[in-house]
Amino acid sequence: IKISHSLTKFGSNTLYVQLKNTLNESNVKVVTINYVDTHINVQMQSLIINDGNPSTTDINVNLYLQYLGQPTHFRIAESVEAIPNANWEVFVSNNILYNLSSGYGNKNIYVQIKDSRGESNIIGSLIAYIQYIELALQSIIINLGEEATTSNIVSVNFN
């Protein structure tokens, strides 16, 4: 005879089994089984922004989350104080595209994950959002425009 029984709590569970038919009842057998909780609590380990580059000229950055457990949701903010008010979003991948807030300068980004049992620690990382300035070289003048020189040292001016 084979039946299924659902254990209702982690740890030691005692099952009492007795068989009965129309004529008799068997003795009661007692069996104990330890139901082990294999769940790993979600925990943030690190946050890597743009592959570890210290700065960016793009308002869109890539976040790479390293964590333990199996998160179902995440939230992001640019201050620890703002995390509780940030919206939880469905966790799809540990690579997340994030739009920095406007204004150049250092940007702290904080991330938290959660699963059905609880929320993780909050972890942060820093990236400098800098303005892109195109460099253009207009002209180069050697020795104030001379076409020849007898010296191996020349002066170079550029605009």
Side-chain angles (χ1 to χ4, degrees):
I1 299 174
K2 182 178 179 181
I3 63 167
S4 295
H5 177 75
S6 295
L7 301 175
T8 57
K9 67 179 178 83
F10 293 111
S12 182
N13 286 265
T14 304
L15 303 176
Y16 300 87
V17 180
Q18 183 179 34
L19 298 177
K20 179 180 178 181
N21 64 21
T22 56
L23 300 175
N24 279 327
E25 290 182 0
S26 73
N27 58 327
V28 176
K29 284 290 207 176
V30 179
V31 178
T32 302
I33 187 166
N34 189 28
Y35 181 21
V36 179
D37 184 1
T38 59
H39 175 79
I40 298 172
N41 292 332
V42 288
Q43 179 182 358
M44 283 296 303
Q45 293 185 307
S46 68
L47 168 62
I48 301 169
I49 306 170
N50 279 3
D51 296 321
N53 289 316
S55 63
T56 183
T57 57
D58 193 342
I59 199 164
N60 301 307
V61 294
N62 292 304
L63 307 180
Y64 179 73
L65 283 56
Q66 292 180 312
Y67 56 88
L68 294 176
Q70 296 182 351
T72 58
H73 292 81
F74 70 94
R75 59 184 172 185
I76 303 171
E78 290 188 21
S79 73
V80 172
E81 298 78 21
I83 280 281
N85 298 322
N87 293 326
W88 286 107
E89 298 188 38
V90 174
F91 188 91
V92 177
S93 167
N94 62 339
N95 288 301
I96 300 168
L97 182 64
Y98 177 72
N99 297 330
L100 298 171
S101 62
S102 62
Y104 297 108
N106 288 334
K107 303 290 183 173
N108 290 296
I109 301 174
Y110 298 91
V111 177
Q112 185 178 35
I113 56 176
K114 75 172 183 173
D115 65 9
S116 62
R117 292 196 188 177
E119 300 174 1
S120 75
N121 56 315
I122 299 168
I123 197 161
S125 191
L126 171 76
I127 192 163
Y129 177 35
I130 57 175
Q131 185 175 9
Y132 175 75
I133 300 173
E134 186 174 335
L135 296 177
L137 190 57
Q138 303 298 322
S139 64
I140 299 175
I141 301 171
I142 299 175
N143 283 351
L144 300 174
E146 294 178 0
E147 293 183 14
T149 183
T150 57
S151 173
N152 66 339
I153 298 174
V154 295
S155 68
V156 179
N157 295 336
F158 49 89
N159 299 331

